[in-house]
Amino acid sequence: MRRVMVIPVYYSRPKSEGHQDGDSVYDHPTPIDEDGTLKRTLESIRIIKNQDFQLVILISPTSEELTDRAKEKVNKILSEVNLDIQTFIFTPAELEKIKALAAEQDVDQSVIKLMNIRGYANVRNMCIYTAYILGAEMAMLIDDDELFEKEDFVDLASQYIGGRLYGKTIDGVAGYYLNKYGNYYDDVDIEPWMTYWDRFGFKGKAFDKIIGQEPRIKLTPFAFGGAMIIHRNLFKTVPFDPNVTRGEDIDYLINAKMFGFHFFLDRELSIKHLPPKKTHPVWKRFREDIYRFLYEKAKIDSQRDLPNMNKVTSHDFDPYPGNFLTNELEDMIFKANIMLAMDYLSNGDIESAKQTMNNIYLSKYDAMPKFNVFDAFIELQKDWKNLLSFTKQYMIDIRAIMDMAEFGYVKKYDKKSELVSMSRDEMEIILKSMDFFNNLEEDEIDTLAAIAKMKEYPENTFIGKANEKVVRMRIIYKGVVRIQKETLSGDSVDLAILEKGDYFGESFDKNFTSYVDIIAEEDCELIEIEHADLVSLIESQPMLGIRILQMLNAKLSLKLKTLNERYTLLSDRGSSIY
C-alpha cells in the first residue's frame, strides 16, 4: 500500500511586522523569523518503525511573498533532522506551475480555483491533492504541532483503511489527540457563560463514548484534522469544503457521509497534540464557531434527493457536533453571548462586551449563508472530480513539477520514454536471461532478438492508456508496472501489479483496444515486440510460431488460475471484487 503523510505548516510575517491587510488568518502561524514546532514534529517521526511512506511538507504562508523564505526555513529544518524518508516541499510556487498548465489546457476557472493553498479547508484539499499526485492509496494528515509517541503509528493507520467492518467500507480512520496530561479531553477551563454553549461538555461526552469505550474501532461522528487517515477512494470523490472557515475536519465527515463513505475512529491511533497558546480573545473564537456551525447546519437543512447520495441529519453526529446542528442553535448562540458579555462587563472590559453582543447581530444577518450550501457543495464536488481528471490526464507533467519539489532533488532522467540503443547480440543475451523465453532454442531466441526492442519508462509515466489500440506485446525486464481501471463512478482501481518476467499486450487482434491504464510504478525497462512483426514471424516460421503460442497459452492459463483463486478468496470473505 502506497502511503503519503502530509504535514501543513503555516508561516506569517515577522512578529515585529504583524498582520497586514490581505494576509491569511490562522490560529497560530509561525513567524518567519522564529523556530516554531515543525522540527519537533519531524524529529518525533524517528520513533516510527515502519517508514515505508513518502512525506510532504505543505507550506501555507500568510502572504505569498514569504514563500521563498519559508521554503528555505523548511529546507534547513529537514537538513538538521535528516530523515531517511523521501520528502517533498510543496509551496504556492509549485501550485502556480500546475495552475499555469491547467490554464494552458483551458480548464474551467472554477476548477483552477480549487488549487488554493490559503485557508484551512483549501490547505486540507492540497494535502489530499499532493497525495493523489504521488499515487497514494492512503493519505495521513498530520499537523505540525504534534508528536508521534507510538512506534507502530503507521501500521495502526494502515491496518483497517480500505477494508470492511460491520458491512461498511472503512474509507477514513480518525485518530485522536492526547493533551499534555496524556488524556483525550480538551485542555480548557469550563466557565459560567458556557452553560448554553457547552461545546467542550458535549465533546467530552462524545470522546468518552467513542474513544473511551470498546470496541477498538467504531463509527465516529467527529474527527481531528491532524490525525486523519483518508483512503484514495474517498479523497478522489469528496473534497474539503472551502466555504467553511473553521471545523473543516468535522465538516468533511458530513460531506463523506452524504456520499456514502464511512469514518471509523481507532482507539489505538493517538498522537500527542501540543499547540501554542491561543492568542485570540474568547469572543472572537466564539464568533468563528457561530459561523462554522450555522454553515454546517445550513448544509444539512438544504439537502435534497440526489441519486447515489444519502441524506444525513444532525442526530447522525450526536452527541458532538450533532447538538450544535439542531434548531436550538440560534437560541444557544443568543443566550451564551448574553452571558459572555455580562462576564466581560463585570471585569470592566466594555469593548469585548460590545464585540460579544455583536456576535448575536452577526449570527442573524451575516453568518447565515446567502446561498444554497448543499447545491454549492455538489458543484464543488464536480469541480474536484474534474481537477483530478485533468491531473490524471497530465500526470507526467504534474509529477515532474512534484519531483522538482523533492527535498535534495537531483534530476534523474528526462520525463520522456525512450528506446534503449542496443545491438542484436545484447538483446539476445537479455532474452536468454529471462525465464519467459526458457522454452525456446538458442536460434529461436536469436530470431526474436532481431525484432525485439528495449524501451525505458520513467516512474509514473503511462505505458498504455484505456481505449488505445494495442499494437505491441511488452515483457517487463526491470521495474514494476501497475494495471489500473476506471470504474463507472470515475474511481481508479488497481487490478494488478506486474514485475520482472510478467507480460501484457499479447492479443494479436488488430482491432483490440485496451480497457485499462498501464502505468510505470517505478522506473521500468520493457522488452517490446510489435504485433505485426510477431505475425510475420509466425507466418514465416510456423514451428517457432507454434512454440510461442504454446508458451503464451501456458502463461495465460496461469494468469486465469491466479485470478480465479483471488476471486474465490474475496468472495469467501464477502469482500468487494474491486
Side-chain angles (χ1 to χ4, degrees):
M1 177 179 288
R2 177 168 286 192
R3 312 172 184 91
V4 174
M5 179 185 292
V6 191
I7 303 177
V9 57
Y10 307 90
Y11 284 107
S12 64
R13 301 177 190 275
K15 190 173 288 187
S16 59
E17 293 184 18
H19 184 85
Q20 296 185 14
D21 289 343
D23 288 357
S24 300
V25 178
Y26 300 114
D27 280 347
H28 37 72
T30 300
I32 197 70
D33 55 346
E34 295 185 7
D35 291 335
T37 57
L38 177 63
K39 185 176 181 180
R40 183 184 68 187
T41 299
L42 295 177
E43 286 176 335
S44 74
I45 289 177
R46 292 201 190 100
I47 197 176
I48 299 174
K49 282 187 174 180
N50 183 356
Q51 299 201 351
D52 181 19
F53 60 89
Q54 294 167 298
L55 176 63
V56 177
I57 309 298
L58 193 141
I59 296 176
S60 178
T62 56
S63 171
E64 289 193 10
E65 67 188 68
L66 300 171
T67 297
D68 290 342
R69 290 180 66 184
K71 186 167 186 177
E72 288 174 10
K73 194 175 185 72
V74 172
N75 264 300
K76 183 175 182 292
I77 292 171
L78 286 169
S79 298
E80 292 169 351
V81 175
N82 194 27
L83 293 173
D84 189 22
I85 298 170
Q86 186 181 27
T87 301
F88 301 84
I89 306 173
F90 194 83
T91 76
E94 283 70 40
L95 197 57
E96 285 303 317
K97 293 176 184 177
I98 300 175
K99 290 168 70 174
L101 175 63
E104 288 174 9
Q105 306 305 323
D106 293 326
V107 173
D108 287 347
Q109 281 300 313
S110 60
V111 175
I112 295 176
K113 186 180 177 181
L114 273 173
M115 289 187 275
N116 189 342
I117 208 163
R118 302 184 68 171
Y120 285 119
N122 284 318
V123 168
R124 296 294 184 201
N125 274 336
M126 291 302 97
C127 288
I128 56 179
Y129 182 61
T130 53
Y132 175 77
I133 294 171
L134 291 172
E137 290 178 68
M138 57 174 272
M140 299 181 282
L141 274 53
I142 304 296
D143 282 344
D144 70 337
D145 55 5
E146 299 171 346
L147 291 177
F148 292 97
E149 294 186 318
K150 293 205 167 189
E151 60 183 20
D152 56 349
F153 185 92
V154 169
D155 290 329
L156 291 170
S158 309
Q159 185 172 352
Y160 292 107
I161 194 76
R164 296 181 71 88
L165 192 64
Y166 313 133
K168 294 180 170 61
T169 54
I170 304 175
D171 308 297
V173 173
Y176 62 95
Y177 299 153
L178 294 176
N179 61 29
K180 61 185 178 183
Y181 304 110
N183 64 56
Y184 52 70
Y185 297 112
D186 286 304
D187 186 14
V188 295
D189 296 321
I190 302 301
E191 299 180 21
W193 72 266
M194 297 178 182
T195 302
Y196 295 102
W197 193 257
D198 192 14
R199 189 162 75 89
F200 298 109
F202 281 115
K203 283 178 77 174
K205 290 177 184 177
F207 292 175
D208 286 340
K209 178 180 178 182
I210 305 298
I211 303 173
Q213 299 181 23
E214 295 289 349
R216 171 183 158 185
I217 184 164
K218 57 180 76 70
L219 288 166
T220 179
F222 61 85
F224 303 86
M228 186 179 278
I229 318 300
I230 310 177
H231 192 270
R232 183 181 182 87
N233 290 344
L234 172 52
F235 68 66
K236 282 183 59 182
T237 303
V238 181
F240 287 82
D241 187 346
N243 287 317
V244 65
T245 54
R246 297 298 304 272
E248 75 288 343
D249 42 13
I250 287 178
D251 184 72
Y252 192 71
L253 264 66
I254 296 173
N255 304 335
K257 195 171 183 65
M258 285 178 176
F259 279 90
F261 293 96
H262 307 99
F263 255 90
F264 289 74
L265 184 134
D266 186 347
R267 296 181 69 233
E268 294 293 321
L269 194 65
S270 63
I271 193 167
K272 182 65 69 70
H273 186 216
L274 300 172
K277 188 176 180 179
K278 292 182 178 178
T279 57
H280 299 309
V282 173
W283 65 261
K284 187 173 180 61
R285 298 202 296 271
F286 194 172
R287 183 174 297 177
E288 291 169 345
D289 280 343
I290 291 169
Y291 276 77
R292 63 177 277 206
F293 285 125
L294 285 172
Y295 181 85
E296 288 167 355
K297 182 179 184 300
K299 181 179 287 184
I300 290 174
D301 291 346
S302 59
Q303 292 173 98
R304 56 189 174 84
D305 290 325
L306 284 178
N308 302 317
M309 290 197 69
N310 302 317
K311 277 191 172 181
V312 303
T313 70
S314 61
H315 297 299
D316 291 326
F317 305 94
D318 282 342
Y320 180 82
N323 277 283
F324 292 81
L325 303 174
T326 70
N327 291 331
E328 303 298 317
L329 179 59
E330 291 185 51
D331 188 55
M332 291 162 60
I333 291 170
F334 176 80
K335 291 177 179 177
N337 275 285
I338 291 292
M339 290 190 69
L340 179 57
M342 291 175 67
D343 272 359
Y344 277 127
L345 285 174
S346 67
N347 291 310
D349 190 347
I350 297 175
E351 183 56 36
S352 292
K354 288 180 179 178
Q355 291 289 356
T356 304
M357 294 302 290
N358 194 36
N359 284 347
I360 298 174
Y361 173 85
L362 292 174
S363 71
K364 202 79 173 169
Y365 298 105
D366 189 68
M368 294 291 288
K370 306 298 190 297
F371 55 92
N372 187 298
V373 175
F374 178 77
D375 284 350
F377 184 73
I378 295 303
E379 290 305 310
L380 177 86
Q381 190 267 346
K382 292 176 183 176
D383 288 336
W384 179 255
K385 297 283 282 187
N386 288 334
L387 171 60
L388 298 194
S389 178
F390 151 74
T391 304
K392 179 179 178 181
Q393 185 177 358
Y394 294 94
M395 183 60 82
I396 295 174
D397 303 284
I398 293 171
R399 182 54 198 265
I401 294 169
M402 194 74 188
D403 284 343
M404 286 187 284
E406 184 180 352
F407 174 64
Y409 171 75
V410 177
K411 189 171 184 180
K412 300 173 185 176
Y413 45 67
D414 190 334
K415 68 182 180 183
K416 294 180 180 177
S417 306
E418 292 184 346
L419 286 171
V420 178
S421 178
M422 185 175 293
S423 69
R424 179 169 174 171
D425 290 341
E426 290 173 314
M427 178 59 75
E428 185 178 350
I429 292 170
I430 287 174
L431 297 183
K432 285 179 181 178
S433 72
M434 299 190 68
D435 292 341
F436 189 91
F437 299 100
N438 59 13
N439 290 329
L440 298 181
E441 301 294 336
E442 188 167 334
D443 61 326
E444 293 172 332
I445 290 179
D446 177 66
T447 302
L448 278 177
I451 61 173
K453 297 181 177 66
M454 182 75 77
K455 193 168 184 180
E456 294 178 334
Y457 291 86
E459 179 184 0
N460 280 310
T461 56
F462 279 96
I463 298 167
K465 292 187 177 182
N467 301 317
E468 284 184 345
K469 281 197 173 183
V470 180
V471 296
R472 60 186 62 86
M473 176 181 173
R474 295 180 169 108
I475 306 152
I476 301 173
Y477 178 57
K478 287 183 182 178
V480 176
V481 167
R482 182 170 81 251
I483 309 296
Q484 183 175 282
K485 178 171 174 57
E486 189 167 297
T487 66
L488 294 175
S489 63
D491 294 328
S492 293
V493 177
D494 291 344
L495 300 181
I497 296 292
L498 306 182
E499 299 176 339
K500 181 175 180 177
D502 290 329
Y503 69 96
F504 49 93
E506 65 272 22
S507 173
F508 293 157
D509 183 351
K510 63 182 180 181
N511 294 316
F512 180 75
T513 57
S514 175
Y515 62 93
V516 295
D517 292 323
I518 306 167
I519 302 163
E521 182 78 358
E522 57 187 50
D523 292 355
C524 291
E525 293 182 16
L526 306 183
I527 297 167
E528 301 190 344
I529 304 175
E530 300 292 322
H531 288 172
D533 292 335
L534 265 177
V535 170
S536 297
L537 178 66
I538 292 169
E539 289 175 350
S540 62
Q541 298 190 42
M543 292 305 296
L544 174 56
I546 290 172
R547 289 167 68 83
I548 291 172
L549 292 175
Q550 287 175 334
M551 181 176 65
L552 290 173
N553 185 58
K555 301 280 186 183
L556 180 60
S557 297
L558 181 61
K559 277 186 178 181
L560 292 173
K561 179 176 180 293
T562 303
L563 181 62
N564 183 60
E565 289 173 349
R566 290 177 65 193
Y567 175 86
T568 303
L569 179 63
L570 287 169
S571 296
D572 289 345
R573 289 177 178 170
S575 299
S576 165
I577 299 306
Y578 277 135

